[in-house]
Amino acid sequence: MMDETFSYILAIAAAVIGIMLLTGHGAMFMKGGNTQARARKYDEKKMEKVSGICMLLIGIATGIDAFTTSVTAKIVYVVVLFVILAVFLFLLKTKCRR
């Protein structure tokens, strides 16, 4: 039960943050690191959009995972998370560069 509750909270938080990033209201979630160097290297608006889409996908995957119990489904969930993160990094390196 506790595992499911945490998954629901995580899914909702990821969806809310994803929507905020997509609508341009999530700049506070993009803070950290060397902000000036990142601003010179990456287009911040594109980075917010890509991050928002990835957060929404992570939220959806986590929400679906909350309803599954089989080991196979858990393995698929982890693989999906890795694919989302790999695509995110690829898009950062290619589409979001200045």
Side-chain angles (χ1 to χ4, degrees):
M1 180 67 180
M2 179 63 182
D3 183 43
E4 288 175 9
T5 304
F6 182 71
S7 292
Y8 295 139
I9 292 168
L10 188 61
I12 292 168
V16 169
I17 292 169
I19 291 169
M20 288 178 72
L21 286 166
L22 278 173
T23 59
H25 297 94
M28 66 186 141
F29 298 111
M30 301 298 290
K31 303 293 183 216
N34 191 343
T35 307
Q36 291 175 343
R38 186 179 66 227
R40 283 191 307 269
K41 196 173 186 179
Y42 298 105
D43 182 338
E44 296 281 328
K45 289 297 175 190
K46 285 183 183 178
M47 216 164 91
E48 278 187 39
K49 298 282 185 201
V50 170
S51 298
I53 291 168
C54 289
M55 287 301 292
L56 279 175
L57 292 174
I58 289 170
I60 291 167
T62 303
I64 291 170
D65 179 61
F67 293 104
T68 62
T69 56
S70 72
V71 174
T72 306
K74 300 298 181 188
I75 292 169
V76 169
Y77 171 66
V78 171
V79 169
V80 166
L81 288 182
F82 278 120
V83 168
I84 291 170
L85 292 175
V87 170
F88 173 70
L89 290 174
F90 172 77
L91 291 174
L92 271 183
K93 299 290 183 189
T94 58
K95 302 292 182 191
C96 297
R97 284 207 182 250
R98 288 196 182 265

